Amino acid sequence: MPRAILCVLDSFGIGAADDADKFGDVGSDTLGHIADECAEGKGDKEGLRKGPLALPNMDRMGLGAAAKLSTGKDVAGLDFAGEPEGLWGYAQELSKGKDTPSGHWEIAGVPVEFEWGYFPNEVPCFPQELLDKIYERNNLEGALCLAHGSGTVVIEEFAEEHIKTGMPIFYTSADSVFQIAAHEETFGLERLLKLCEDVRQLLDDYNIGRVIARPFVGSVESGFERTANRRDYSVLPPAPTVLDRLKDAGREVIGVGKISDIFAHQGVTKLLKGAGNDQLFEKTLEAMELAKDGDLVFSNFVDFDMLYGHRRDVPGYAAALEHFDRRLPEMIEAMQEGDLLVLTADHGCDPTWRGTDHTREHVPLLALIKGQKGGAIGARKSFADIGETIAKFLGVEQGKVGVSFL
C-alpha cells in the first residue's frame, strides 16, 4: 500500500473565501497580491530576491489554474501553458474561525462548528481574575504587556524589563490564543513550559484555543531572537480526526513541525521537530524515509505565516515560496510509485492586507499521485475533503464530513 504526504504551507491563501465579508477580508489574496507586488518590483529585496514571482513546480502541479478558479484572474508570473500535471482545485473553510487549529482540524476531517473565545483589543486584554489566579498559582509578582501584539515587536519592547524583573510577557492576537514569551536562560525554558501548562488549564472556562510558549534568547547588546523551542498547548479536537482513525488502524502518523501540538498530541504516533522551513523540509524527507506502507506524513511549514504573513513582509514571503518551490522536486523524487502528495494551507495571511491578522481565504488544493495523471478537482466545499481523501486513499474508515476527490 502506498503512503500519503500532506504538507500545509501555513497561511498560503489563494483568494478571498465566499464568506470573507463576515471577517472583513473581501479582496484579500495572499498569492495574488504577492505576485502583483513582485511584478511591480515591490517584492524585490537586495540579496534576497528580484523580479516576478517564480513558482514553476507548484504551477506545473496546478497552482496557477487553482488560483484562477478561485479568483477568476491570472496570477502574475504563473504562466504554465500546458495541462497541470497534478490534481488541482481549491477548498473553502466551513469552520467559524480563520485560525490555525480550526484550519488543521478541518483538514483532518473535523470542522470547528463552535465559536472560540477571544480577548478584547484593550489594555489589559486579560481579565484581572484570570491574571490573579495565574500569579498566585505560579508565584509571579505580575506580567508585562497584557495586550494584543506581534511576537517579535513585543519581545523587542519588553525583553529588557522582563530580564530585570523576572516577570513574563503575556500577550494575545486576533486569534483565540494566550501567548507567553520569556528568556530561556534568565526565566528558564522548563519554567516557561510549566507556566504555559498551568495557564492552559485555567483557560478552558474561557474557550481559548491555544496557549503558546514563545521562548527567546539574547541580550540588549546583541539583540533578542526567538528559538525553536516554541510549544503550542491546544485543546483537543471535538471529534476523532483521520489521524486517530489511522492510528487506530495501526498506521504511523508522523507529524513534522507543530502538527502534534496543534492536535494536542492526539493521533500523532511520531514527532519530528524543526526550526524554519528549510529544516522542516529536511525533516519531511526524513519522515518519508521512515514511513511504511499505509502511513501518513503530515508537515506544517510555519515560516510563511509566522515570519512573513503576520509581519506583512512581501519580499520575505515571496522568497520563502520560491525556495520551497525549488526544493519541491526533491520531495517528489523521494515519493514511491503510487504515493499521494497533497499541498494545501490552513487559512490566508495576506502580507499586503491591513493589520497583522490571518485572512479568510480559499486554500490551494494540489495533489499528485506518483505515476498517475492529474486533472481538475474543482471547488471543494470543505477542507475536510482533504482528510477524507487521505482516509480513502489509505483504506481507513471515512469520517462524517468531507468527500474524497479521488
PDB file of all heavy atoms in Angstrom, residues 187-223:
ATOM      1  N   PHE A 187      14.762  33.316  32.705  1.00  0.00           N
ATOM      2  CA  PHE A 187      13.492  32.836  33.245  1.00  0.00           C
ATOM      3  C   PHE A 187      13.494  31.312  33.319  1.00  0.00           C
ATOM      4  O   PHE A 187      12.982  30.733  34.276  1.00  0.00           O
ATOM      5  CB  PHE A 187      12.332  33.318  32.373  1.00  0.00           C
ATOM      6  CG  PHE A 187      10.965  33.070  32.957  1.00  0.00           C
ATOM      7  CD1 PHE A 187      10.403  33.990  33.838  1.00  0.00           C
ATOM      8  CD2 PHE A 187      10.240  31.940  32.624  1.00  0.00           C
ATOM      9  CE1 PHE A 187       9.139  33.772  34.387  1.00  0.00           C
ATOM     10  CE2 PHE A 187       8.982  31.707  33.157  1.00  0.00           C
ATOM     11  CZ  PHE A 187       8.422  32.634  34.041  1.00  0.00           C
ATOM     12  N   GLY A 188      14.071  30.684  32.294  1.00  0.00           N
ATOM     13  CA  GLY A 188      14.160  29.229  32.255  1.00  0.00           C
ATOM     14  C   GLY A 188      13.117  28.614  31.339  1.00  0.00           C
ATOM     15  O   GLY A 188      11.922  28.932  31.456  1.00  0.00           O
ATOM     16  N   LEU A 189      13.565  27.748  30.431  1.00  0.00           N
ATOM     17  CA  LEU A 189      12.652  27.128  29.483  1.00  0.00           C
ATOM     18  C   LEU A 189      11.647  26.219  30.183  1.00  0.00           C
ATOM     19  O   LEU A 189      10.442  26.269  29.901  1.00  0.00           O
ATOM     20  CB  LEU A 189      13.438  26.336  28.432  1.00  0.00           C
ATOM     21  CG  LEU A 189      12.599  25.593  27.388  1.00  0.00           C
ATOM     22  CD1 LEU A 189      11.719  26.555  26.613  1.00  0.00           C
ATOM     23  CD2 LEU A 189      13.497  24.793  26.445  1.00  0.00           C
ATOM     24  N   GLU A 190      12.111  25.382  31.085  1.00  0.00           N
ATOM     25  CA  GLU A 190      11.204  24.464  31.769  1.00  0.00           C
ATOM     26  C   GLU A 190      10.172  25.216  32.593  1.00  0.00           C
ATOM     27  O   GLU A 190       8.996  24.831  32.642  1.00  0.00           O
ATOM     28  CB  GLU A 190      12.005  23.501  32.668  1.00  0.00           C
ATOM     29  CG  GLU A 190      12.803  22.476  31.901  1.00  0.00           C
ATOM     30  CD  GLU A 190      11.935  21.661  30.947  1.00  0.00           C
ATOM     31  OE1 GLU A 190      10.845  21.221  31.384  1.00  0.00           O
ATOM     32  OE2 GLU A 190      12.327  21.475  29.784  1.00  0.00           O
ATOM     33  N   ARG A 191      10.603  26.315  33.212  1.00  0.00           N
ATOM     34  CA  ARG A 191       9.656  27.115  33.982  1.00  0.00           C
ATOM     35  C   ARG A 191       8.597  27.723  33.073  1.00  0.00           C
ATOM     36  O   ARG A 191       7.404  27.761  33.417  1.00  0.00           O
ATOM     37  CB  ARG A 191      10.406  28.218  34.735  1.00  0.00           C
ATOM     38  CG  ARG A 191       9.527  29.040  35.669  1.00  0.00           C
ATOM     39  CD  ARG A 191      10.303  30.174  36.297  1.00  0.00           C
ATOM     40  NE  ARG A 191       9.464  30.998  37.150  1.00  0.00           N
ATOM     41  CZ  ARG A 191       9.778  32.214  37.563  1.00  0.00           C
ATOM     42  NH1 ARG A 191      10.951  32.748  37.191  1.00  0.00           N
ATOM     43  NH2 ARG A 191       8.952  32.900  38.327  1.00  0.00           N
ATOM     44  N   LEU A 192       9.000  28.179  31.893  1.00  0.00           N
ATOM     45  CA  LEU A 192       8.056  28.740  30.926  1.00  0.00           C
ATOM     46  C   LEU A 192       7.051  27.684  30.486  1.00  0.00           C
ATOM     47  O   LEU A 192       5.832  27.952  30.427  1.00  0.00           O
ATOM     48  CB  LEU A 192       8.810  29.282  29.707  1.00  0.00           C
ATOM     49  CG  LEU A 192       7.963  29.697  28.501  1.00  0.00           C
ATOM     50  CD1 LEU A 192       6.988  30.812  28.878  1.00  0.00           C
ATOM     51  CD2 LEU A 192       8.862  30.121  27.341  1.00  0.00           C
ATOM     52  N   LEU A 193       7.519  26.487  30.182  1.00  0.00           N
ATOM     53  CA  LEU A 193       6.619  25.434  29.716  1.00  0.00           C
ATOM     54  C   LEU A 193       5.641  25.018  30.814  1.00  0.00           C
ATOM     55  O   LEU A 193       4.452  24.782  30.535  1.00  0.00           O
ATOM     56  CB  LEU A 193       7.424  24.229  29.228  1.00  0.00           C
ATOM     57  CG  LEU A 193       8.379  24.491  28.050  1.00  0.00           C
ATOM     58  CD1 LEU A 193       9.074  23.198  27.634  1.00  0.00           C
ATOM     59  CD2 LEU A 193       7.652  25.108  26.865  1.00  0.00           C
ATOM     60  N   LYS A 194       6.104  24.945  32.050  1.00  0.00           N
ATOM     61  CA  LYS A 194       5.205  24.599  33.161  1.00  0.00           C
ATOM     62  C   LYS A 194       4.158  25.690  33.365  1.00  0.00           C
ATOM     63  O   LYS A 194       2.991  25.407  33.669  1.00  0.00           O
ATOM     64  CB  LYS A 194       6.015  24.369  34.437  1.00  0.00           C
ATOM     65  CG  LYS A 194       6.816  23.080  34.427  1.00  0.00           C
ATOM     66  CD  LYS A 194       7.610  22.912  35.716  1.00  0.00           C
ATOM     67  CE  LYS A 194       8.411  21.606  35.682  1.00  0.00           C
ATOM     68  NZ  LYS A 194       9.236  21.438  36.918  1.00  0.00           N
ATOM     69  N   LEU A 195       4.581  26.951  33.207  1.00  0.00           N
ATOM     70  CA  LEU A 195       3.647  28.064  33.319  1.00  0.00           C
ATOM     71  C   LEU A 195       2.565  27.949  32.248  1.00  0.00           C
ATOM     72  O   LEU A 195       1.368  28.128  32.524  1.00  0.00           O
ATOM     73  CB  LEU A 195       4.401  29.389  33.186  1.00  0.00           C
ATOM     74  CG  LEU A 195       3.564  30.666  33.069  1.00  0.00           C
ATOM     75  CD1 LEU A 195       2.675  30.857  34.302  1.00  0.00           C
ATOM     76  CD2 LEU A 195       4.479  31.882  32.886  1.00  0.00           C
ATOM     77  N   CYS A 196       2.960  27.647  31.025  1.00  0.00           N
ATOM     78  CA  CYS A 196       2.003  27.516  29.929  1.00  0.00           C
ATOM     79  C   CYS A 196       1.040  26.362  30.169  1.00  0.00           C
ATOM     80  O   CYS A 196      -0.164  26.471  29.873  1.00  0.00           O
ATOM     81  CB  CYS A 196       2.738  27.322  28.606  1.00  0.00           C
ATOM     82  SG  CYS A 196       3.597  28.795  28.016  1.00  0.00           S
ATOM     83  N   GLU A 197       1.537  25.264  30.709  1.00  0.00           N
ATOM     84  CA  GLU A 197       0.675  24.121  31.003  1.00  0.00           C
ATOM     85  C   GLU A 197      -0.379  24.497  32.042  1.00  0.00           C
ATOM     86  O   GLU A 197      -1.555  24.111  31.926  1.00  0.00           O
ATOM     87  CB  GLU A 197       1.516  22.954  31.518  1.00  0.00           C
ATOM     88  CG  GLU A 197       2.400  22.321  30.443  1.00  0.00           C
ATOM     89  CD  GLU A 197       3.379  21.317  31.020  1.00  0.00           C
ATOM     90  OE1 GLU A 197       3.329  21.067  32.254  1.00  0.00           O
ATOM     91  OE2 GLU A 197       4.190  20.775  30.254  1.00  0.00           O
ATOM     92  N   ASP A 198       0.016  25.280  33.039  1.00  0.00           N
ATOM     93  CA  ASP A 198      -0.927  25.699  34.073  1.00  0.00           C
ATOM     94  C   ASP A 198      -1.957  26.673  33.509  1.00  0.00           C
ATOM     95  O   ASP A 198      -3.157  26.556  33.784  1.00  0.00           O
ATOM     96  CB  ASP A 198      -0.176  26.354  35.237  1.00  0.00           C
ATOM     97  CG  ASP A 198      -1.110  26.692  36.387  1.00  0.00           C
ATOM     98  OD1 ASP A 198      -1.638  25.746  37.010  1.00  0.00           O
ATOM     99  OD2 ASP A 198      -1.332  27.898  36.644  1.00  0.00           O
ATOM    100  N   VAL A 199      -1.502  27.622  32.695  1.00  0.00           N
ATOM    101  CA  VAL A 199      -2.428  28.580  32.084  1.00  0.00           C
ATOM    102  C   VAL A 199      -3.418  27.861  31.180  1.00  0.00           C
ATOM    103  O   VAL A 199      -4.604  28.209  31.131  1.00  0.00           O
ATOM    104  CB  VAL A 199      -1.647  29.672  31.309  1.00  0.00           C
ATOM    105  CG1 VAL A 199      -2.603  30.571  30.538  1.00  0.00           C
ATOM    106  CG2 VAL A 199      -0.805  30.510  32.267  1.00  0.00           C
ATOM    107  N   ARG A 200      -2.956  26.823  30.477  1.00  0.00           N
ATOM    108  CA  ARG A 200      -3.856  26.048  29.616  1.00  0.00           C
ATOM    109  C   ARG A 200      -5.048  25.518  30.421  1.00  0.00           C
ATOM    110  O   ARG A 200      -6.188  25.559  29.954  1.00  0.00           O
ATOM    111  CB  ARG A 200      -3.066  24.899  28.987  1.00  0.00           C
ATOM    112  CG  ARG A 200      -3.848  23.847  28.227  1.00  0.00           C
ATOM    113  CD  ARG A 200      -4.482  24.359  26.955  1.00  0.00           C
ATOM    114  NE  ARG A 200      -5.795  24.919  27.173  1.00  0.00           N
ATOM    115  CZ  ARG A 200      -6.453  25.616  26.276  1.00  0.00           C
ATOM    116  NH1 ARG A 200      -5.930  25.857  25.093  1.00  0.00           N
ATOM    117  NH2 ARG A 200      -7.664  26.086  26.548  1.00  0.00           N
ATOM    118  N   GLN A 201      -4.795  25.036  31.615  1.00  0.00           N
ATOM    119  CA  GLN A 201      -5.872  24.504  32.452  1.00  0.00           C
ATOM    120  C   GLN A 201      -6.866  25.598  32.835  1.00  0.00           C
ATOM    121  O   GLN A 201      -8.080  25.375  32.845  1.00  0.00           O
ATOM    122  CB  GLN A 201      -5.290  23.881  33.716  1.00  0.00           C
ATOM    123  CG  GLN A 201      -4.424  22.658  33.472  1.00  0.00           C
ATOM    124  CD  GLN A 201      -3.811  22.123  34.748  1.00  0.00           C
ATOM    125  OE1 GLN A 201      -4.272  22.426  35.845  1.00  0.00           O
ATOM    126  NE2 GLN A 201      -2.765  21.321  34.612  1.00  0.00           N
ATOM    127  N   LEU A 202      -6.360  26.784  33.123  1.00  0.00           N
ATOM    128  CA  LEU A 202      -7.219  27.882  33.554  1.00  0.00           C
ATOM    129  C   LEU A 202      -8.073  28.449  32.423  1.00  0.00           C
ATOM    130  O   LEU A 202      -9.102  29.086  32.677  1.00  0.00           O
ATOM    131  CB  LEU A 202      -6.373  29.007  34.156  1.00  0.00           C
ATOM    132  CG  LEU A 202      -5.666  28.697  35.480  1.00  0.00           C
ATOM    133  CD1 LEU A 202      -4.711  29.822  35.846  1.00  0.00           C
ATOM    134  CD2 LEU A 202      -6.703  28.490  36.584  1.00  0.00           C
ATOM    135  N   LEU A 203      -7.652  28.236  31.170  1.00  0.00           N
ATOM    136  CA  LEU A 203      -8.337  28.871  30.044  1.00  0.00           C
ATOM    137  C   LEU A 203      -9.504  28.067  29.497  1.00  0.00           C
ATOM    138  O   LEU A 203     -10.219  28.540  28.605  1.00  0.00           O
ATOM    139  CB  LEU A 203      -7.335  29.144  28.914  1.00  0.00           C
ATOM    140  CG  LEU A 203      -6.323  30.256  29.199  1.00  0.00           C
ATOM    141  CD1 LEU A 203      -5.361  30.390  28.036  1.00  0.00           C
ATOM    142  CD2 LEU A 203      -7.038  31.575  29.439  1.00  0.00           C
ATOM    143  N   ASP A 204      -9.722  26.861  30.002  1.00  0.00           N
ATOM    144  CA  ASP A 204     -10.829  26.052  29.492  1.00  0.00           C
ATOM    145  C   ASP A 204     -12.169  26.773  29.676  1.00  0.00           C
ATOM    146  O   ASP A 204     -13.051  26.698  28.816  1.00  0.00           O
ATOM    147  CB  ASP A 204     -10.862  24.691  30.184  1.00  0.00           C
ATOM    148  CG  ASP A 204      -9.718  23.793  29.725  1.00  0.00           C
ATOM    149  OD1 ASP A 204      -9.084  24.115  28.701  1.00  0.00           O
ATOM    150  OD2 ASP A 204      -9.457  22.774  30.391  1.00  0.00           O
ATOM    151  N   ASP A 205     -12.316  27.486  30.792  1.00  0.00           N
ATOM    152  CA  ASP A 205     -13.573  28.201  31.054  1.00  0.00           C
ATOM    153  C   ASP A 205     -13.775  29.378  30.097  1.00  0.00           C
ATOM    154  O   ASP A 205     -14.894  29.879  29.969  1.00  0.00           O
ATOM    155  CB  ASP A 205     -13.604  28.714  32.490  1.00  0.00           C
ATOM    156  CG  ASP A 205     -13.701  27.586  33.511  1.00  0.00           C
ATOM    157  OD1 ASP A 205     -14.126  26.480  33.128  1.00  0.00           O
ATOM    158  OD2 ASP A 205     -13.355  27.811  34.680  1.00  0.00           O
ATOM    159  N   TYR A 206     -12.706  29.815  29.454  1.00  0.00           N
ATOM    160  CA  TYR A 206     -12.785  30.962  28.541  1.00  0.00           C
ATOM    161  C   TYR A 206     -12.868  30.524  27.069  1.00  0.00           C
ATOM    162  O   TYR A 206     -12.942  31.359  26.181  1.00  0.00           O
ATOM    163  CB  TYR A 206     -11.568  31.869  28.735  1.00  0.00           C
ATOM    164  CG  TYR A 206     -11.483  32.498  30.105  1.00  0.00           C
ATOM    165  CD1 TYR A 206     -10.875  31.829  31.167  1.00  0.00           C
ATOM    166  CD2 TYR A 206     -12.013  33.757  30.347  1.00  0.00           C
ATOM    167  CE1 TYR A 206     -10.801  32.391  32.429  1.00  0.00           C
ATOM    168  CE2 TYR A 206     -11.932  34.342  31.618  1.00  0.00           C
ATOM    169  CZ  TYR A 206     -11.328  33.650  32.653  1.00  0.00           C
ATOM    170  OH  TYR A 206     -11.250  34.217  33.908  1.00  0.00           O
ATOM    171  N   ASN A 207     -12.809  29.205  26.825  1.00  0.00           N
ATOM    172  CA  ASN A 207     -12.898  28.640  25.474  1.00  0.00           C
ATOM    173  C   ASN A 207     -11.800  29.182  24.554  1.00  0.00           C
ATOM    174  O   ASN A 207     -12.042  29.487  23.385  1.00  0.00           O
ATOM    175  CB  ASN A 207     -14.273  28.912  24.859  1.00  0.00           C
ATOM    176  CG  ASN A 207     -14.595  27.966  23.719  1.00  0.00           C
ATOM    177  OD1 ASN A 207     -14.103  26.842  23.669  1.00  0.00           O
ATOM    178  ND2 ASN A 207     -15.406  28.424  22.780  1.00  0.00           N
ATOM    179  N   ILE A 208     -10.592  29.300  25.088  1.00  0.00           N
ATOM    180  CA  ILE A 208      -9.439  29.771  24.322  1.00  0.00           C
ATOM    181  C   ILE A 208      -8.747  28.568  23.676  1.00  0.00           C
ATOM    182  O   ILE A 208      -8.483  27.555  24.331  1.00  0.00           O
ATOM    183  CB  ILE A 208      -8.454  30.546  25.209  1.00  0.00           C
ATOM    184  CG1 ILE A 208      -9.152  31.757  25.827  1.00  0.00           C
ATOM    185  CG2 ILE A 208      -7.226  30.976  24.414  1.00  0.00           C
ATOM    186  CD1 ILE A 208      -9.681  32.772  24.821  1.00  0.00           C
ATOM    187  N   GLY A 209      -8.445  28.681  22.383  1.00  0.00           N
ATOM    188  CA  GLY A 209      -7.932  27.547  21.627  1.00  0.00           C
ATOM    189  C   GLY A 209      -6.530  27.107  21.987  1.00  0.00           C
ATOM    190  O   GLY A 209      -6.253  25.914  22.100  1.00  0.00           O
ATOM    191  N   ARG A 210      -5.613  28.087  22.172  1.00  0.00           N
ATOM    192  CA  ARG A 210      -4.212  27.710  22.369  1.00  0.00           C
ATOM    193  C   ARG A 210      -3.515  28.598  23.394  1.00  0.00           C
ATOM    194  O   ARG A 210      -3.819  29.786  23.524  1.00  0.00           O
ATOM    195  CB  ARG A 210      -3.425  27.842  21.051  1.00  0.00           C
ATOM    196  CG  ARG A 210      -3.661  26.787  20.034  1.00  0.00           C
ATOM    197  CD  ARG A 210      -2.757  26.994  18.823  1.00  0.00           C
ATOM    198  NE  ARG A 210      -3.031  28.238  18.121  1.00  0.00           N
ATOM    199  CZ  ARG A 210      -2.243  28.779  17.201  1.00  0.00           C
ATOM    200  NH1 ARG A 210      -1.105  28.200  16.890  1.00  0.00           N
ATOM    201  NH2 ARG A 210      -2.588  29.901  16.599  1.00  0.00           N
ATOM    202  N   VAL A 211      -2.568  28.003  24.079  1.00  0.00           N
ATOM    203  CA  VAL A 211      -1.532  28.735  24.815  1.00  0.00           C
ATOM    204  C   VAL A 211      -0.227  28.444  24.086  1.00  0.00           C
ATOM    205  O   VAL A 211       0.067  27.287  23.766  1.00  0.00           O
ATOM    206  CB  VAL A 211      -1.427  28.273  26.284  1.00  0.00           C
ATOM    207  CG1 VAL A 211      -0.279  28.994  26.988  1.00  0.00           C
ATOM    208  CG2 VAL A 211      -2.741  28.520  27.013  1.00  0.00           C
ATOM    209  N   ILE A 212       0.536  29.490  23.800  1.00  0.00           N
ATOM    210  CA  ILE A 212       1.781  29.298  23.055  1.00  0.00           C
ATOM    211  C   ILE A 212       2.961  29.799  23.879  1.00  0.00           C
ATOM    212  O   ILE A 212       2.972  30.953  24.327  1.00  0.00           O
ATOM    213  CB  ILE A 212       1.762  30.034  21.703  1.00  0.00           C
ATOM    214  CG1 ILE A 212       0.572  29.594  20.864  1.00  0.00           C
ATOM    215  CG2 ILE A 212       3.060  29.758  20.942  1.00  0.00           C
ATOM    216  CD1 ILE A 212       0.476  30.283  19.514  1.00  0.00           C
ATOM    217  N   ALA A 213       3.937  28.926  24.095  1.00  0.00           N
ATOM    218  CA  ALA A 213       5.196  29.310  24.741  1.00  0.00           C
ATOM    219  C   ALA A 213       6.110  29.909  23.681  1.00  0.00           C
ATOM    220  O   ALA A 213       6.373  29.268  22.656  1.00  0.00           O
ATOM    221  CB  ALA A 213       5.850  28.099  25.389  1.00  0.00           C
ATOM    222  N   ARG A 214       6.607  31.119  23.931  1.00  0.00           N
ATOM    223  CA  ARG A 214       7.458  31.829  22.973  1.00  0.00           C
ATOM    224  C   ARG A 214       8.819  32.123  23.606  1.00  0.00           C
ATOM    225  O   ARG A 214       9.117  33.253  23.982  1.00  0.00           O
ATOM    226  CB  ARG A 214       6.794  33.139  22.563  1.00  0.00           C
ATOM    227  CG  ARG A 214       5.490  32.980  21.808  1.00  0.00           C
ATOM    228  CD  ARG A 214       5.737  32.540  20.388  1.00  0.00           C
ATOM    229  NE  ARG A 214       4.549  32.745  19.535  1.00  0.00           N
ATOM    230  CZ  ARG A 214       4.513  32.485  18.256  1.00  0.00           C
ATOM    231  NH1 ARG A 214       5.585  32.012  17.648  1.00  0.00           N
ATOM    232  NH2 ARG A 214       3.422  32.699  17.555  1.00  0.00           N
ATOM    233  N   PRO A 215       9.678  31.111  23.754  1.00  0.00           N
ATOM    234  CA  PRO A 215      10.984  31.342  24.359  1.00  0.00           C
ATOM    235  C   PRO A 215      11.920  32.112  23.433  1.00  0.00           C
ATOM    236  O   PRO A 215      11.840  31.988  22.213  1.00  0.00           O
ATOM    237  CB  PRO A 215      11.510  29.929  24.609  1.00  0.00           C
ATOM    238  CG  PRO A 215      10.819  29.090  23.597  1.00  0.00           C
ATOM    239  CD  PRO A 215       9.474  29.705  23.386  1.00  0.00           C
ATOM    240  N   PHE A 216      12.804  32.910  24.028  1.00  0.00           N
ATOM    241  CA  PHE A 216      13.793  33.656  23.245  1.00  0.00           C
ATOM    242  C   PHE A 216      15.109  33.720  24.008  1.00  0.00           C
ATOM    243  O   PHE A 216      15.173  33.414  25.209  1.00  0.00           O
ATOM    244  CB  PHE A 216      13.282  35.059  22.893  1.00  0.00           C
ATOM    245  CG  PHE A 216      13.021  35.963  24.080  1.00  0.00           C
ATOM    246  CD1 PHE A 216      13.994  36.830  24.555  1.00  0.00           C
ATOM    247  CD2 PHE A 216      11.778  35.961  24.714  1.00  0.00           C
ATOM    248  CE1 PHE A 216      13.761  37.671  25.640  1.00  0.00           C
ATOM    249  CE2 PHE A 216      11.524  36.794  25.799  1.00  0.00           C
ATOM    250  CZ  PHE A 216      12.521  37.656  26.256  1.00  0.00           C
ATOM    251  N   VAL A 217      16.156  34.100  23.309  1.00  0.00           N
ATOM    252  CA  VAL A 217      17.485  34.254  23.896  1.00  0.00           C
ATOM    253  C   VAL A 217      18.059  35.593  23.447  1.00  0.00           C
ATOM    254  O   VAL A 217      17.474  36.291  22.620  1.00  0.00           O
ATOM    255  CB  VAL A 217      18.436  33.110  23.464  1.00  0.00           C
ATOM    256  CG1 VAL A 217      17.981  31.780  24.033  1.00  0.00           C
ATOM    257  CG2 VAL A 217      18.529  33.034  21.939  1.00  0.00           C
ATOM    258  N   GLY A 218      19.217  35.933  23.990  1.00  0.00           N
ATOM    259  CA  GLY A 218      19.891  37.153  23.574  1.00  0.00           C
ATOM    260  C   GLY A 218      20.004  38.161  24.692  1.00  0.00           C
ATOM    261  O   GLY A 218      19.701  37.889  25.860  1.00  0.00           O
ATOM    262  N   SER A 219      20.467  39.363  24.320  1.00  0.00           N
ATOM    263  CA  SER A 219      20.672  40.435  25.291  1.00  0.00           C
ATOM    264  C   SER A 219      20.371  41.768  24.626  1.00  0.00           C
ATOM    265  O   SER A 219      20.188  41.858  23.410  1.00  0.00           O
ATOM    266  CB  SER A 219      22.121  40.418  25.790  1.00  0.00           C
ATOM    267  OG  SER A 219      23.007  40.706  24.708  1.00  0.00           O
ATOM    268  N   VAL A 220      20.349  42.809  25.446  1.00  0.00           N
ATOM    269  CA  VAL A 220      20.125  44.154  24.923  1.00  0.00           C
ATOM    270  C   VAL A 220      21.223  44.514  23.932  1.00  0.00           C
ATOM    271  O   VAL A 220      20.965  45.120  22.883  1.00  0.00           O
ATOM    272  CB  VAL A 220      20.079  45.178  26.075  1.00  0.00           C
ATOM    273  CG1 VAL A 220      19.972  46.595  25.529  1.00  0.00           C
ATOM    274  CG2 VAL A 220      18.918  44.877  27.012  1.00  0.00           C
ATOM    275  N   GLU A 221      22.451  44.111  24.237  1.00  0.00           N
ATOM    276  CA  GLU A 221      23.587  44.450  23.389  1.00  0.00           C
ATOM    277  C   GLU A 221      23.568  43.695  22.062  1.00  0.00           C
ATOM    278  O   GLU A 221      23.817  44.262  20.990  1.00  0.00           O
ATOM    279  CB  GLU A 221      24.905  44.156  24.119  1.00  0.00           C
ATOM    280  CG  GLU A 221      25.150  45.030  25.359  1.00  0.00           C
ATOM    281  CD  GLU A 221      24.302  44.629  26.542  1.00  0.00           C
ATOM    282  OE1 GLU A 221      23.850  43.447  26.595  1.00  0.00           O
ATOM    283  OE2 GLU A 221      24.050  45.496  27.407  1.00  0.00           O
ATOM    284  N   SER A 222      23.251  42.394  22.111  1.00  0.00           N
ATOM    285  CA  SER A 222      23.316  41.561  20.906  1.00  0.00           C
ATOM    286  C   SER A 222      21.992  41.449  20.174  1.00  0.00           C
ATOM    287  O   SER A 222      21.933  41.009  19.034  1.00  0.00           O
ATOM    288  CB  SER A 222      23.804  40.155  21.272  1.00  0.00           C
ATOM    289  OG  SER A 222      22.865  39.501  22.126  1.00  0.00           O
ATOM    290  N   GLY A 223      20.912  41.842  20.836  1.00  0.00           N
ATOM    291  CA  GLY A 223      19.584  41.675  20.273  1.00  0.00           C
ATOM    292  C   GLY A 223      18.950  40.375  20.740  1.00  0.00           C
ATOM    293  O   GLY A 223      19.631  39.500  21.288  1.00  0.00           O
TER     294      GLY A 223
END
